[in-house]
Amino acid sequence: MALAGLYSDFGFTICVFLLSIVIQGAADKNPSSALFIFGDSTVDPGNNNYITTIPENRADYEPNGQNGFFAGPTGRFSDGRVIVDYIAEYANLPLIPPYLDPNTDDYTNGVSFASGGSGVLPETNQGLAIDLPTQLKYFDKVQNSLIEKYGNDKTKKVISEAVYFISIGSNDYMAGYLGNPKMQELYTPEAYIGMVIGNLSQSVQVLYGNGARKFGFLSISPLGCLPALRALNPANDGGCFQAASALAKAHNMALKTVLSSFEHFLEGFIYCNSDFYEWLDDRMKNHSKYGFKEGVTACCGSGPYRGIPTCGGTKKEKQYELCENPEDYLWWDSFHATEKIHQQVAQDLWSGPPSSVGPYNLRDLFFSTSTITIADIIDAPAAAAQNYISN
């Protein structure tokens, strides 16, 4: 009898476990929250196609987008998709369009304000990109448009249930500080980081004040290891430009502290934060472990590590080299990662454990199962099992 009871308990436990997986899977198929995107070239789907800027801040030319997913170049700084394209797919959303695309008129699934070359600070690449304050102004227009079209109640629901993905800051340090001697005279590295983080924090609070509650953040990569900065490394030893990477690491630590504090004093604020710096660093050092053959040199460009940004031949230097298979490479061009990296990072953000992302992953933010309890599973096991069989 004791043995029979043991098997019975074990079978019941397995049943509950399997049914919980079924219910999680069913939840993941439900209509998703909207996705609003703020940031730079890491997540720009083509907003810069519609502004006047320099060739370095555009990607609407070949060989960008060459891998066949899109019909041709879209303005994404990649051989194909970028992180947020995968996130939209996982969240059962269509591709999130650029805000400036004249064909974009439905915001119920979200929209992207991201712009290649943009920064948290309006002074970063001023006049050549859509800075974060301007992106926030565009969001205000979207919110007003939703109110006009659907009324206050539906708009509040869309805004409060949406996920706000933010990937920005790299240009503030590369162009805004390291590339700007005047800023280096005016601010110590610590003071400048404080200014960037302060403005980024204020932007998050502005979104929160407008009703946003769920946020995703892509931290800054090891900037000094980008092929372009590796080529500029004053040590000239083949290593990373340590001053740039140090700024990125300090920024990420400061952002982590700020987000933790927001969780305590902004009611209902929940977020997913990443460790993009360590993810890329590990892939550069152990590229074969992640399916790459090359972790330092870019697929497209020229010069050392193909770190001279000539990809596409749209700059002063028209000649460039292009690798045969971008999937073998971590870096697509002198500053940007390949689609394969974007996919791997999106997967980590979507379903990574708390040790990798946290305190929530993006799936938690899009598909909350907090209302489904073990009691629900126990009370209706037959219904859940029948639903599984029918699917």
Side-chain angles (χ1 to χ4, degrees):
M1 289 293 292
L3 186 60
L6 177 63
Y7 280 122
S8 176
D9 290 344
F10 178 75
F12 178 78
T13 301
I14 292 295
C15 180
V16 169
F17 173 72
L18 291 175
L19 288 172
S20 68
I21 293 175
V22 170
I23 289 177
Q24 174 66 59
D28 284 3
K29 295 177 184 177
N30 289 337
S32 180
S33 306
L35 175 60
F36 293 101
I37 302 160
F38 302 81
D40 53 29
S41 59
T42 53
V43 290
D44 182 359
N47 276 306
N48 280 14
N49 299 354
Y50 305 98
I51 67 172
T52 301
T53 187
I54 57 177
E56 288 79 0
N57 287 351
R58 296 182 73 109
D60 56 342
Y61 53 83
E62 295 179 346
N64 293 299
Q66 70 161 26
N67 70 5
F69 182 84
F70 299 105
T74 61
R76 289 167 172 82
F77 294 78
S78 164
D79 57 311
R81 287 168 284 183
V82 294
I83 290 170
V84 287
D85 296 324
Y86 287 101
I87 292 170
E89 177 187 330
Y90 303 155
N92 300 327
L93 292 168
L95 288 171
I96 304 302
Y99 172 74
L100 293 183
D101 185 337
N103 296 315
T104 301
D105 58 2
D106 181 5
Y107 305 122
T108 53
N109 289 317
V111 70
S112 175
F113 309 100
S115 168
S118 66
V120 173
L121 305 178
E123 295 83 4
T124 297
N125 289 326
Q126 193 164 25
L128 301 174
I130 309 164
D131 56 61
L132 186 55
T134 302
Q135 293 181 34
L136 292 174
K137 291 177 183 176
Y138 287 163
F139 175 75
D140 285 340
K141 292 183 178 180
V142 165
Q143 194 167 10
N144 290 333
S145 175
L146 287 169
I147 291 172
E148 290 175 8
K149 194 170 184 179
Y150 300 107
N152 282 313
D153 290 344
K154 182 173 180 179
T155 298
K156 285 181 180 178
K157 180 177 175 62
V158 170
I159 296 301
S160 65
E161 293 182 358
V163 173
Y164 298 79
F165 192 81
I166 300 173
S167 175
I168 198 165
S170 297
N171 294 305
D172 293 292
Y173 298 107
M174 290 190 292
Y177 192 70
L178 293 175
N180 189 338
K182 185 64 175 177
M183 279 292 189
Q184 294 180 55
E185 290 177 13
L186 292 173
Y187 300 98
T188 64
E190 294 77 13
Y192 188 81
I193 292 167
M195 184 165 61
V196 173
I197 290 294
N199 280 266
L200 179 55
S201 302
Q202 186 176 29
S203 297
V204 172
Q205 291 179 82
V206 167
L207 288 171
Y208 178 88
N210 284 337
R213 292 297 181 268
K214 300 186 289 185
F215 292 83
F217 296 89
L218 185 69
S219 60
I220 298 179
S221 70
L223 297 177
C225 302
L226 273 59
L229 273 73
R230 193 183 290 268
L232 293 172
N233 181 11
N236 196 29
D237 58 0
C240 301
F241 191 167
Q242 292 302 327
S245 292
L247 287 169
K249 182 167 279 192
H251 171 97
N252 292 341
M253 291 177 63
L255 178 61
K256 184 177 181 180
T257 300
V258 166
L259 295 178
S260 179
S261 68
F262 280 172
E263 193 176 23
H264 290 94
F265 74 80
L266 296 180
E267 184 179 356
F269 176 87
I270 58 174
Y271 68 96
C272 164
N273 192 20
S274 62
D275 199 350
F276 193 36
Y277 187 107
E278 294 300 330
W279 293 349
L280 273 187
D281 187 56
D282 189 36
R283 283 164 172 78
M284 284 186 287
K285 293 174 180 175
N286 305 288
H287 51 270
S288 61
K289 174 183 172 184
Y290 296 95
F292 298 97
K293 295 180 180 179
E294 175 57 59
V296 172
T297 298
C299 171
C300 189
S302 59
Y305 317 107
R306 295 191 182 126
I308 299 175
T310 56
C311 188
T314 62
K315 293 84 175 175
K316 291 181 180 179
E317 176 61 50
K318 303 300 181 184
Q319 300 299 316
Y320 65 93
E321 301 171 1
L322 180 65
C323 71
E324 186 174 338
N325 187 4
E327 285 203 350
D328 292 338
Y329 285 72
L330 191 152
W331 299 107
W332 164 238
D333 64 18
S334 306
F335 290 98
H336 306 101
T338 56
E339 182 190 74
K340 188 172 179 178
I341 279 289
H342 284 278
Q343 182 179 24
Q344 290 184 3
V345 171
Q347 289 172 340
D348 285 340
L349 286 165
W350 183 255
S351 57
S355 58
S356 178
V357 297
Y360 300 91
N361 59 38
L362 287 179
R363 183 170 61 190
D364 295 331
L365 301 190
F366 278 100
F367 300 111
S368 172
T369 58
S370 60
T371 58
I372 300 175
T373 67
I374 292 297
D376 297 324
I377 300 172
I378 295 172
D379 289 342
Q386 182 59 43
N387 180 60
Y388 174 69
I389 293 169
S390 63
N391 288 337

